[in-house]
Amino acid sequence: MRRNYGSISDLITQDAHAKHGKAIRSEIRRAYEAYPLNDFDILAVAHDMSAACSVTARLHRASGPPTTVSLRWVREDAKACPKPGPWPGEWRLCTWEPWHLFAHASN
């Protein structure tokens, strides 16, 4: 089951929102303009800390072969402090920039 978040900007950390302010949505849209995504598959989730994990995913882009990437996530509260369950918090994407995502990618 896939959950529709509407935008990657809804998933990034509070720190990134603080850094870019209201411009975050347009920053992300511009950054990913050259990387249209058709679909994705989650291949693995590694919980290496109680409030952090790495997700291995295969991205199916509109142009080019599928690409396997690693996404770093942290579970944080509204004040951007890491919070493992059962405390209130949400999983947020730490690194969202395409250059970081595709620099360590494999096909």
Side-chain angles (χ1 to χ4, degrees), residues 37-86:
L37 186 64
N38 288 341
D39 200 7
F40 67 92
D41 302 304
I42 303 296
L43 304 177
V45 177
H47 286 272
D48 33 16
M49 295 181 352
S50 58
C53 72
S54 296
V55 174
T56 304
R58 178 154 295 229
L59 305 180
H60 303 274
R61 295 184 286 161
S63 61
T67 305
T68 302
V69 298
S70 182
L71 304 156
R72 186 73 175 155
W73 294 79
V74 64
R75 192 169 186 278
E76 65 181 20
D77 64 12
K79 296 180 181 178
C81 296
K83 290 291 177 190

